[in-house]
Amino acid sequence: MERRRQTRVSLEIPLMMSVYQWEQAGAFAGQSVEGTLRDVSEDGLQISSTFPLEKDMFVVLHFKQEAGLPPMTARIIRIERSNNQFHYGCMLSGLALYQRLQLKEYIERHAGD
């Protein structure tokens, strides 16, 4: 059953994630992790990485300039493991208006690809 109401665009864009929660665990504070953006909608996205993260962690996603995407903060709400990859379903969190508009325009431009 499809729960999503937003247009979702499939992608394969490299990114860097800054993990900035869980400072009480020590190891995660400010760590940067490589990943790949797999798909995106106006309220969520899926990323994959070989790095194990936990549910409810917050990550800041940074894209290369040519990707045309703003930095975004997301909360991990779902984790699936496949081979040596973790697939993280994330909900976008606290996007500023300009980020929302940039994301909306990006999705509209790539929806037909």
Side-chain angles (χ1 to χ4, degrees):
M1 186 172 91
E2 186 65 42
R3 293 182 309 213
R4 300 180 184 117
R5 290 178 296 287
Q6 303 280 356
T7 302
R8 188 165 282 257
V9 179
S10 292
L11 303 161
E12 181 104 5
I13 297 177
L15 58 85
M16 290 300 292
M17 291 184 276
S18 300
V19 182
Y20 71 91
Q21 205 191 20
W22 289 48
E23 293 195 22
Q24 67 272 22
F28 287 118
Q31 188 155 0
S32 284
V33 176
E34 286 185 27
T36 303
L37 180 63
R38 296 287 174 196
D39 64 42
V40 66
S41 72
E42 285 184 51
D43 52 13
L45 44 83
Q46 185 187 146
I47 46 184
S48 63
S49 178
T50 55
F51 194 84
L53 298 170
E54 300 287 331
K55 204 169 168 181
D56 291 326
M57 274 188 170
F58 282 86
V59 292
V60 181
L61 309 176
H62 304 277
F63 302 94
K64 292 186 172 130
Q65 187 79 42
E66 61 268 20
L69 285 163
M72 295 182 265
T73 302
R75 181 168 63 95
I76 297 171
I77 58 172
R78 195 177 58 258
I79 302 171
E80 292 169 17
R81 195 171 181 164
S82 157
N83 301 328
N84 295 331
Q85 290 276 318
F86 295 92
H87 295 272
Y88 300 108
C90 302
M91 197 166 67
L92 292 172
S93 173
L95 289 188
L97 183 59
Y98 83 92
Q99 291 169 304
R100 287 204 172 280
L101 292 172
Q102 195 174 345
L103 183 57
K104 185 176 165 62
E105 287 170 12
Y106 182 92
I107 290 166
E108 286 168 358
R109 275 199 317 271
H110 294 82
D113 294 356

